[in-house]
Amino acid sequence: GVFIFVVFSMVTFKEVGKMEREIGKTGSIEKSLENALRVKKQMSELVDQTQTLDSFFVKSGEEAYFLEEIDRVAKINNVKVATNSIGVKDVAEDNNFEMLNTSIKYEGSFVNVISFLESVQNIPKAILLNSVDLNGNEDIWSGTASLSVYKTK
């Protein structure tokens, strides 16, 4: 977020400087308007990109929604799931992000459990699947998974 804001500010400052120089050189209002519209378009694109990037992080206070998403994916895949633990750890040298660490227990058929784990990895968040344990027999498979997701402070 902060990095993108700094880059956005630098790009905007650079483009405004170009427009000022263009007006000084040509005195052309039309050219200046073209440049202003171009800068506006670039700023809009950068805002869209920033919003897309921000969507990959769990927002502070929305941790429960992330866990609900895991529950939703489990139900879709016909897998029982329970949260064993949840905790937050600072990310070294970054004051804007933390790691939300959680351990989950799951149970279902082999095919459903594998589909569930793949679906968890496909949740559109910055998720790290740290470890997976899977045990079972012909009918019931169960295990635990440790995962982390980046969240904003």
Side-chain angles (χ1 to χ4, degrees):
V2 172
F3 174 74
I4 292 171
F5 175 76
V6 170
V7 170
F8 175 73
S9 298
M10 289 174 30
V11 168
T12 303
F13 182 75
K14 183 178 176 183
E15 292 300 320
V16 168
K18 282 183 185 178
M19 286 190 320
E20 288 174 345
R21 286 190 299 278
E22 189 66 36
I23 291 172
K25 287 180 184 176
T26 64
S28 169
I29 300 275
E30 293 83 19
K31 189 73 168 173
S32 298
L33 288 175
E34 284 178 26
N35 286 340
L37 290 174
R38 185 171 41 81
V39 169
K40 181 180 177 185
K41 181 180 177 197
Q42 289 175 340
M43 289 176 15
S44 175
E45 290 170 357
L46 194 53
V47 167
D48 291 344
Q49 292 170 358
T50 301
Q51 289 171 343
T52 299
L53 257 175
D54 284 345
S55 73
F56 287 106
F57 304 108
V58 173
K59 309 270 185 299
S60 182
E62 295 183 1
E63 297 83 357
Y65 296 122
F66 174 70
L67 296 175
E68 286 174 2
E69 182 67 10
I70 292 174
D71 287 340
R72 185 186 71 76
V73 167
K75 286 178 186 171
I76 289 171
N77 289 287
N78 199 26
V79 170
K80 294 178 186 175
V81 68
T83 302
N84 287 339
S85 66
I86 188 166
V88 176
K89 183 178 176 186
D90 284 335
V91 175
E93 300 179 18
D94 194 325
N95 294 326
N96 299 311
F97 296 99
E98 298 172 311
M99 289 301 281
L100 178 65
N101 300 309
T102 186
S103 173
I104 57 173
K105 182 177 179 176
Y106 46 85
E107 180 180 285
S109 73
F110 180 78
V111 170
N112 290 352
V113 166
I114 296 302
S115 180
F116 164 70
L117 292 171
E118 289 173 347
S119 297
V120 167
Q121 286 185 299
N122 291 327
I123 293 173
K125 299 290 181 196
I127 298 174
L128 304 171
L129 196 55
N130 300 319
S131 66
V132 174
D133 176 45
L134 185 60
N135 301 296
N137 57 38
E138 211 171 286
D139 297 326
I140 301 295
W141 289 77
S142 63
T144 58
S146 170
L147 55 101
S148 302
V149 62
Y150 282 94
K151 71 176 274 308
T152 56
K153 286 187 177 182

PDB file of all heavy atoms in Angstrom, residues 97-116:
ATOM      1  N   PHE A  97       2.226  -4.964   7.393  1.00  0.00           N
ATOM      2  CA  PHE A  97       1.649  -6.297   7.251  1.00  0.00           C
ATOM      3  C   PHE A  97       2.006  -7.197   8.416  1.00  0.00           C
ATOM      4  O   PHE A  97       3.013  -7.008   9.085  1.00  0.00           O
ATOM      5  CB  PHE A  97       2.137  -6.958   5.953  1.00  0.00           C
ATOM      6  CG  PHE A  97       1.695  -6.233   4.730  1.00  0.00           C
ATOM      7  CD1 PHE A  97       2.561  -5.360   4.082  1.00  0.00           C
ATOM      8  CD2 PHE A  97       0.421  -6.409   4.226  1.00  0.00           C
ATOM      9  CE1 PHE A  97       2.154  -4.675   2.952  1.00  0.00           C
ATOM     10  CE2 PHE A  97       0.008  -5.727   3.094  1.00  0.00           C
ATOM     11  CZ  PHE A  97       0.876  -4.858   2.461  1.00  0.00           C
ATOM     12  N   GLU A  98       1.138  -8.180   8.621  1.00  0.00           N
ATOM     13  CA  GLU A  98       1.347  -9.237   9.593  1.00  0.00           C
ATOM     14  C   GLU A  98       1.018 -10.554   8.899  1.00  0.00           C
ATOM     15  O   GLU A  98       0.410 -10.562   7.836  1.00  0.00           O
ATOM     16  CB  GLU A  98       0.398  -9.083  10.788  1.00  0.00           C
ATOM     17  CG  GLU A  98       0.585  -7.810  11.572  1.00  0.00           C
ATOM     18  CD  GLU A  98      -0.504  -7.618  12.617  1.00  0.00           C
ATOM     19  OE1 GLU A  98      -1.696  -7.751  12.294  1.00  0.00           O
ATOM     20  OE2 GLU A  98      -0.132  -7.322  13.762  1.00  0.00           O
ATOM     21  N   MET A  99       1.421 -11.658   9.533  1.00  0.00           N
ATOM     22  CA  MET A  99       1.041 -12.981   9.038  1.00  0.00           C
ATOM     23  C   MET A  99      -0.048 -13.519   9.952  1.00  0.00           C
ATOM     24  O   MET A  99       0.132 -13.564  11.171  1.00  0.00           O
ATOM     25  CB  MET A  99       2.231 -13.934   9.044  1.00  0.00           C
ATOM     26  CG  MET A  99       3.282 -13.641   8.005  1.00  0.00           C
ATOM     27  SD  MET A  99       2.672 -13.689   6.320  1.00  0.00           S
ATOM     28  CE  MET A  99       2.625 -15.430   6.032  1.00  0.00           C
ATOM     29  N   LEU A 100      -1.151 -13.906   9.359  1.00  0.00           N
ATOM     30  CA  LEU A 100      -2.215 -14.575  10.084  1.00  0.00           C
ATOM     31  C   LEU A 100      -1.953 -16.067   9.909  1.00  0.00           C
ATOM     32  O   LEU A 100      -2.030 -16.596   8.805  1.00  0.00           O
ATOM     33  CB  LEU A 100      -3.575 -14.185   9.502  1.00  0.00           C
ATOM     34  CG  LEU A 100      -4.801 -14.837  10.116  1.00  0.00           C
ATOM     35  CD1 LEU A 100      -4.958 -14.392  11.571  1.00  0.00           C
ATOM     36  CD2 LEU A 100      -6.039 -14.472   9.312  1.00  0.00           C
ATOM     37  N   ASN A 101      -1.562 -16.725  10.997  1.00  0.00           N
ATOM     38  CA  ASN A 101      -1.223 -18.148  10.957  1.00  0.00           C
ATOM     39  C   ASN A 101      -2.378 -18.948  11.543  1.00  0.00           C
ATOM     40  O   ASN A 101      -2.890 -18.608  12.612  1.00  0.00           O
ATOM     41  CB  ASN A 101       0.048 -18.426  11.760  1.00  0.00           C
ATOM     42  CG  ASN A 101       1.227 -17.654  11.206  1.00  0.00           C
ATOM     43  OD1 ASN A 101       1.491 -17.695  10.020  1.00  0.00           O
ATOM     44  ND2 ASN A 101       1.928 -16.941  12.075  1.00  0.00           N
ATOM     45  N   THR A 102      -2.763 -19.994  10.841  1.00  0.00           N
ATOM     46  CA  THR A 102      -3.848 -20.830  11.341  1.00  0.00           C
ATOM     47  C   THR A 102      -3.559 -22.292  11.051  1.00  0.00           C
ATOM     48  O   THR A 102      -2.859 -22.627  10.100  1.00  0.00           O
ATOM     49  CB  THR A 102      -5.208 -20.404  10.735  1.00  0.00           C
ATOM     50  OG1 THR A 102      -6.243 -21.140  11.357  1.00  0.00           O
ATOM     51  CG2 THR A 102      -5.257 -20.614   9.255  1.00  0.00           C
ATOM     52  N   SER A 103      -4.093 -23.125  11.909  1.00  0.00           N
ATOM     53  CA  SER A 103      -4.000 -24.569  11.733  1.00  0.00           C
ATOM     54  C   SER A 103      -5.432 -25.083  11.653  1.00  0.00           C
ATOM     55  O   SER A 103      -6.267 -24.729  12.490  1.00  0.00           O
ATOM     56  CB  SER A 103      -3.269 -25.199  12.915  1.00  0.00           C
ATOM     57  OG  SER A 103      -3.311 -26.613  12.818  1.00  0.00           O
ATOM     58  N   ILE A 104      -5.696 -25.895  10.642  1.00  0.00           N
ATOM     59  CA  ILE A 104      -7.042 -26.432  10.469  1.00  0.00           C
ATOM     60  C   ILE A 104      -6.991 -27.955  10.436  1.00  0.00           C
ATOM     61  O   ILE A 104      -5.989 -28.543  10.054  1.00  0.00           O
ATOM     62  CB  ILE A 104      -7.712 -25.900   9.178  1.00  0.00           C
ATOM     63  CG1 ILE A 104      -6.870 -26.221   7.939  1.00  0.00           C
ATOM     64  CG2 ILE A 104      -7.996 -24.419   9.284  1.00  0.00           C
ATOM     65  CD1 ILE A 104      -7.533 -25.878   6.616  1.00  0.00           C
ATOM     66  N   LYS A 105      -8.083 -28.561  10.863  1.00  0.00           N
ATOM     67  CA  LYS A 105      -8.238 -30.010  10.798  1.00  0.00           C
ATOM     68  C   LYS A 105      -9.361 -30.283   9.810  1.00  0.00           C
ATOM     69  O   LYS A 105     -10.363 -29.576   9.793  1.00  0.00           O
ATOM     70  CB  LYS A 105      -8.589 -30.577  12.171  1.00  0.00           C
ATOM     71  CG  LYS A 105      -8.716 -32.067  12.187  1.00  0.00           C
ATOM     72  CD  LYS A 105      -8.997 -32.597  13.587  1.00  0.00           C
ATOM     73  CE  LYS A 105      -9.131 -34.110  13.474  1.00  0.00           C
ATOM     74  NZ  LYS A 105      -9.300 -34.722  14.772  1.00  0.00           N
ATOM     75  N   TYR A 106      -9.198 -31.305   8.982  1.00  0.00           N
ATOM     76  CA  TYR A 106     -10.208 -31.605   7.963  1.00  0.00           C
ATOM     77  C   TYR A 106     -10.430 -33.100   7.870  1.00  0.00           C
ATOM     78  O   TYR A 106      -9.596 -33.901   8.287  1.00  0.00           O
ATOM     79  CB  TYR A 106      -9.796 -31.037   6.602  1.00  0.00           C
ATOM     80  CG  TYR A 106      -8.362 -31.324   6.251  1.00  0.00           C
ATOM     81  CD1 TYR A 106      -8.001 -32.524   5.661  1.00  0.00           C
ATOM     82  CD2 TYR A 106      -7.364 -30.415   6.568  1.00  0.00           C
ATOM     83  CE1 TYR A 106      -6.677 -32.801   5.366  1.00  0.00           C
ATOM     84  CE2 TYR A 106      -6.039 -30.683   6.273  1.00  0.00           C
ATOM     85  CZ  TYR A 106      -5.703 -31.880   5.674  1.00  0.00           C
ATOM     86  OH  TYR A 106      -4.392 -32.152   5.396  1.00  0.00           O
ATOM     87  N   GLU A 107     -11.610 -33.451   7.329  1.00  0.00           N
ATOM     88  CA  GLU A 107     -11.957 -34.858   7.189  1.00  0.00           C
ATOM     89  C   GLU A 107     -12.951 -35.019   6.044  1.00  0.00           C
ATOM     90  O   GLU A 107     -13.880 -34.230   5.900  1.00  0.00           O
ATOM     91  CB  GLU A 107     -12.580 -35.367   8.484  1.00  0.00           C
ATOM     92  CG  GLU A 107     -12.984 -36.824   8.439  1.00  0.00           C
ATOM     93  CD  GLU A 107     -13.603 -37.279   9.749  1.00  0.00           C
ATOM     94  OE1 GLU A 107     -12.845 -37.462  10.716  1.00  0.00           O
ATOM     95  OE2 GLU A 107     -14.838 -37.423   9.772  1.00  0.00           O
ATOM     96  N   GLY A 108     -12.732 -36.059   5.229  1.00  0.00           N
ATOM     97  CA  GLY A 108     -13.628 -36.356   4.119  1.00  0.00           C
ATOM     98  C   GLY A 108     -13.050 -37.470   3.268  1.00  0.00           C
ATOM     99  O   GLY A 108     -12.051 -38.092   3.635  1.00  0.00           O
ATOM    100  N   SER A 109     -13.666 -37.696   2.132  1.00  0.00           N
ATOM    101  CA  SER A 109     -13.113 -38.698   1.223  1.00  0.00           C
ATOM    102  C   SER A 109     -11.798 -38.173   0.650  1.00  0.00           C
ATOM    103  O   SER A 109     -11.548 -36.966   0.659  1.00  0.00           O
ATOM    104  CB  SER A 109     -14.098 -38.991   0.084  1.00  0.00           C
ATOM    105  OG  SER A 109     -14.144 -37.907  -0.826  1.00  0.00           O
ATOM    106  N   PHE A 110     -10.963 -39.077   0.146  1.00  0.00           N
ATOM    107  CA  PHE A 110      -9.666 -38.668  -0.391  1.00  0.00           C
ATOM    108  C   PHE A 110      -9.831 -37.617  -1.490  1.00  0.00           C
ATOM    109  O   PHE A 110      -9.180 -36.580  -1.463  1.00  0.00           O
ATOM    110  CB  PHE A 110      -8.904 -39.886  -0.925  1.00  0.00           C
ATOM    111  CG  PHE A 110      -7.561 -39.535  -1.495  1.00  0.00           C
ATOM    112  CD1 PHE A 110      -6.491 -39.279  -0.650  1.00  0.00           C
ATOM    113  CD2 PHE A 110      -7.370 -39.434  -2.868  1.00  0.00           C
ATOM    114  CE1 PHE A 110      -5.244 -38.932  -1.158  1.00  0.00           C
ATOM    115  CE2 PHE A 110      -6.123 -39.093  -3.388  1.00  0.00           C
ATOM    116  CZ  PHE A 110      -5.063 -38.840  -2.534  1.00  0.00           C
ATOM    117  N   VAL A 111     -10.716 -37.873  -2.433  1.00  0.00           N
ATOM    118  CA  VAL A 111     -10.929 -36.949  -3.551  1.00  0.00           C
ATOM    119  C   VAL A 111     -11.414 -35.595  -3.043  1.00  0.00           C
ATOM    120  O   VAL A 111     -10.938 -34.543  -3.487  1.00  0.00           O
ATOM    121  CB  VAL A 111     -11.933 -37.545  -4.572  1.00  0.00           C
ATOM    122  CG1 VAL A 111     -12.345 -36.522  -5.605  1.00  0.00           C
ATOM    123  CG2 VAL A 111     -11.341 -38.779  -5.240  1.00  0.00           C
ATOM    124  N   ASN A 112     -12.343 -35.603  -2.083  1.00  0.00           N
ATOM    125  CA  ASN A 112     -12.875 -34.344  -1.554  1.00  0.00           C
ATOM    126  C   ASN A 112     -11.822 -33.557  -0.771  1.00  0.00           C
ATOM    127  O   ASN A 112     -11.758 -32.332  -0.854  1.00  0.00           O
ATOM    128  CB  ASN A 112     -14.098 -34.603  -0.685  1.00  0.00           C
ATOM    129  CG  ASN A 112     -15.300 -35.050  -1.484  1.00  0.00           C
ATOM    130  OD1 ASN A 112     -15.292 -35.032  -2.715  1.00  0.00           O
ATOM    131  ND2 ASN A 112     -16.345 -35.463  -0.794  1.00  0.00           N
ATOM    132  N   VAL A 113     -11.001 -34.265   0.003  1.00  0.00           N
ATOM    133  CA  VAL A 113      -9.954 -33.585   0.775  1.00  0.00           C
ATOM    134  C   VAL A 113      -8.930 -32.938  -0.161  1.00  0.00           C
ATOM    135  O   VAL A 113      -8.547 -31.780   0.031  1.00  0.00           O
ATOM    136  CB  VAL A 113      -9.269 -34.563   1.767  1.00  0.00           C
ATOM    137  CG1 VAL A 113      -7.977 -33.967   2.319  1.00  0.00           C
ATOM    138  CG2 VAL A 113     -10.218 -34.914   2.898  1.00  0.00           C
ATOM    139  N   ILE A 114      -8.516 -33.667  -1.186  1.00  0.00           N
ATOM    140  CA  ILE A 114      -7.558 -33.095  -2.147  1.00  0.00           C
ATOM    141  C   ILE A 114      -8.167 -31.889  -2.848  1.00  0.00           C
ATOM    142  O   ILE A 114      -7.516 -30.842  -2.995  1.00  0.00           O
ATOM    143  CB  ILE A 114      -7.103 -34.166  -3.171  1.00  0.00           C
ATOM    144  CG1 ILE A 114      -6.341 -35.299  -2.468  1.00  0.00           C
ATOM    145  CG2 ILE A 114      -6.269 -33.543  -4.281  1.00  0.00           C
ATOM    146  CD1 ILE A 114      -5.110 -34.856  -1.700  1.00  0.00           C
ATOM    147  N   SER A 115      -9.424 -32.002  -3.249  1.00  0.00           N
ATOM    148  CA  SER A 115     -10.113 -30.877  -3.896  1.00  0.00           C
ATOM    149  C   SER A 115     -10.223 -29.689  -2.943  1.00  0.00           C
ATOM    150  O   SER A 115     -10.031 -28.538  -3.346  1.00  0.00           O
ATOM    151  CB  SER A 115     -11.500 -31.318  -4.355  1.00  0.00           C
ATOM    152  OG  SER A 115     -12.173 -30.252  -4.976  1.00  0.00           O
ATOM    153  N   PHE A 116     -10.505 -29.963  -1.670  1.00  0.00           N
ATOM    154  CA  PHE A 116     -10.580 -28.908  -0.652  1.00  0.00           C
ATOM    155  C   PHE A 116      -9.248 -28.177  -0.520  1.00  0.00           C
ATOM    156  O   PHE A 116      -9.198 -26.948  -0.542  1.00  0.00           O
ATOM    157  CB  PHE A 116     -11.003 -29.507   0.696  1.00  0.00           C
ATOM    158  CG  PHE A 116     -10.746 -28.615   1.871  1.00  0.00           C
ATOM    159  CD1 PHE A 116     -11.484 -27.461   2.065  1.00  0.00           C
ATOM    160  CD2 PHE A 116      -9.747 -28.931   2.786  1.00  0.00           C
ATOM    161  CE1 PHE A 116     -11.240 -26.635   3.151  1.00  0.00           C
ATOM    162  CE2 PHE A 116      -9.494 -28.115   3.873  1.00  0.00           C
ATOM    163  CZ  PHE A 116     -10.238 -26.960   4.062  1.00  0.00           C
TER     164      PHE A 116
END
